[in-house]
């Protein structure tokens, strides 16, 4: 373990945490406001990546392609809300899980039909190529810094909307007591569409920003969905602040655990045993963190006020 490697892995953990926050923020609002379990949320992340591949390729511009991908992801998300999700709002959670899981299978196959099963990629835009020298011998890609900065910027904008605007007030109230919001005369279906629009845009943005550094392939949203659920359990359901803190914790724990667990275990056991044990423990770390949080604070670290 060296200082330079530690710095790089901390930055990688922050980058993963930012991506998870963008996905988990929409998921926690949907679950918190609507009490709706949307297992297909990870598919919207995947669609954002594929749409970025398509539009960047067509336009030759990363910025324009990103904007078009977000617009297309929003249209697809709202179409899914109109055609599928709104018919499940009054159903129990088991029906929601089964229906949205079926949607995952359907859209994954649809992606294979449209784009093929082979992994695709988006080139890093020229103005964000290259690396930044942090210290002697430590280089870090400019694009990854841009991803962290863009995620923080979007997170700040989301915080402003949720905390300082009337729409945000309705979202916070809905996360605390959706039935009361509806009883006060708020069009709950319109509120649900706003929530889905937020969630779709955030997940699509995360997928589009991840496309230049990750392989774009069918099913890529499934792993992210699992991590996003861990994030909202750790942070607290319905809480944007909780999603942000939980995402950073999960991103850093997962990245640092996979990078340094073997080195730590070698202090106590032989190298072969450390490799075998480290591989198992590093993949379990975030779930151990989740279990500890649930034991100590079952509602999450920063739950919405109505859930404390």
């Amino acid at each position: 373990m060296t200082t330079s490697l530690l710095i790089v892995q901390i930055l990688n953990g922050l980058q993963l945490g930012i991506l998870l926050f963008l996905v988990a923020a929409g998921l926690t609002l949907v679950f918190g406001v609507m009490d709706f379990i949307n297992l297909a949320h990870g598919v919207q992340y995947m669609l954002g990546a594929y749409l970025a591949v398509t539009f960047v390729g067509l336009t030759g511009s990363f910025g324009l392609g990103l904007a078009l991908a977000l617009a297309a992801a929003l249209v697809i998300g709202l179409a899914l809300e109109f055609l599928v999700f709104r018919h499940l709002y009054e159903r129990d959670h088991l029906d929601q899980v089964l229906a949205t899981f079926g949607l995952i299978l359907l859209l994954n196959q649809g992606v294979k039909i449209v784009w093929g099963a082979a992994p695709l990629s988006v080139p890093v835009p020229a103005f964000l190529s290259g690396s930044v020298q942090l210290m002697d011998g430590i280089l870090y890609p400019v694009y990854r810094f841009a991803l962290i900065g863009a995620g923080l910027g979007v997170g700040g904008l989301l915080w402003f909307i949720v905390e300082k605007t009337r729409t945000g007030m309705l979202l916070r109230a809905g996360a605390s007591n959706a039935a009361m919001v509806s009883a006060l005369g708020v069009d709950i279906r319109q509120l649900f569409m706003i929530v889905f629009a937020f969630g779709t845009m955030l997940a699509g943005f995360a997928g589009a920003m991840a496309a230049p550094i990750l392989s774009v392939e069918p099913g890529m949203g499934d792993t992210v969905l699992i991590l996003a659920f861990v994030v909202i359990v750790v942070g607290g359901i319905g809480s944007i602040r909780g999603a942000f803190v939980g995402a950073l914790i999960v991103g850093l724990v997962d990245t640092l655990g996979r990078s340094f667990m073997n080195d730590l275990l070698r202090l106590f056991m032989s190298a072969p045993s450390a490799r075998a044990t480290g591989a198992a423990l590093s993949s379990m770390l975030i779930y151990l963190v989740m279990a500890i949080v649930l034991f100590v604070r079952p509602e999450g670290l920063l739950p919405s006020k109505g859930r404390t």
Side-chain angles (χ1 to χ4, degrees):
M1 182 188 302
T2 63
T3 302
S4 60
L5 180 60
L6 178 61
I7 292 173
V8 169
Q9 293 306 322
I10 287 175
L11 289 172
N12 287 339
L14 290 175
Q15 172 209 292
L16 174 60
I18 291 297
L19 286 177
L20 291 178
F21 166 68
L22 293 173
V23 177
L27 187 62
T28 196
L29 282 176
V30 169
F31 194 19
V33 175
M34 303 161 62
D35 195 29
F36 180 75
I37 300 177
N38 180 18
L39 294 187
H41 194 74
V43 172
Q44 294 165 334
Y45 166 85
M46 177 186 69
L47 287 175
Y50 272 103
L51 291 170
V53 169
T54 299
F55 287 115
V56 171
L58 289 175
T59 63
S61 167
F62 182 80
L64 181 57
L66 177 62
L68 292 173
L70 290 180
L74 176 61
V75 171
I76 293 172
L78 292 178
L80 289 175
E81 194 276 339
F82 180 77
L83 295 173
V84 180
F85 296 137
R86 68 171 50 185
H87 303 291
L88 300 171
Y89 292 156
E90 305 301 325
R91 308 291 289 270
D92 60 30
H93 285 163
L94 179 59
D95 289 341
Q96 294 169 0
V97 167
L98 292 174
T100 54
F101 181 73
L103 193 60
I104 291 175
L105 301 179
L106 176 65
L107 292 178
N108 279 338
Q109 290 303 314
V111 162
K112 290 180 181 179
I113 293 172
V114 175
W115 283 282
L120 303 175
S121 63
V122 174
V124 175
F127 65 95
L128 292 176
S129 62
S131 300
V132 175
Q133 183 169 348
L134 303 178
M135 297 170 57
D136 288 339
I138 304 179
L139 297 175
Y140 200 73
V142 173
Y143 184 81
R144 291 179 181 262
F145 274 122
L147 193 155
I148 294 172
L152 291 175
V154 171
L157 178 61
L158 182 62
W159 173 86
F160 178 81
I161 292 172
V162 170
E163 296 291 334
K164 302 296 183 181
T165 66
R166 184 177 184 278
T167 299
M169 177 190 68
L170 294 177
L171 293 179
R172 285 182 282 116
S176 299
N177 194 328
M180 180 62 71
V181 172
S182 180
L184 291 174
V186 175
D187 186 345
I188 202 70
R189 285 197 177 275
Q190 184 180 33
L191 180 63
F192 285 179
M193 287 192 67
I194 291 172
V195 171
F196 255 100
F198 273 5
T200 298
M201 290 286 283
L202 290 170
F205 180 71
M209 291 298 292
I213 59 174
L214 299 177
S215 177
V216 179
E217 57 190 355
M220 65 180 292
D222 299 346
T223 302
V224 171
L225 177 70
I226 294 171
L227 294 176
F229 272 114
V230 174
V231 165
I232 66 173
V233 169
V234 171
I237 295 172
S239 170
I240 295 297
R241 290 185 305 149
F244 182 75
V245 173
L248 293 184
I249 291 173
V250 170
L252 287 169
V253 168
D254 186 65
T255 302
L256 294 177
R258 293 179 186 276
S259 300
F260 300 119
M261 181 60 71
N262 290 352
D263 293 334
L264 292 175
L265 291 178
R266 282 175 189 162
L267 299 175
F268 310 102
M269 57 183 67
S270 63
S273 298
R275 282 195 299 270
T277 307
L281 281 179
S282 60
S283 62
M284 295 168 50
L285 274 180
I286 59 172
Y287 304 105
L288 292 174
V289 170
M290 181 177 69
I292 292 170
V293 170
L294 286 174
F295 180 77
V296 176
R297 193 173 171 82
E299 68 274 16
L301 297 177
L302 294 169
S304 62
K305 293 180 180 179
R307 294 179 180 267
T308 54

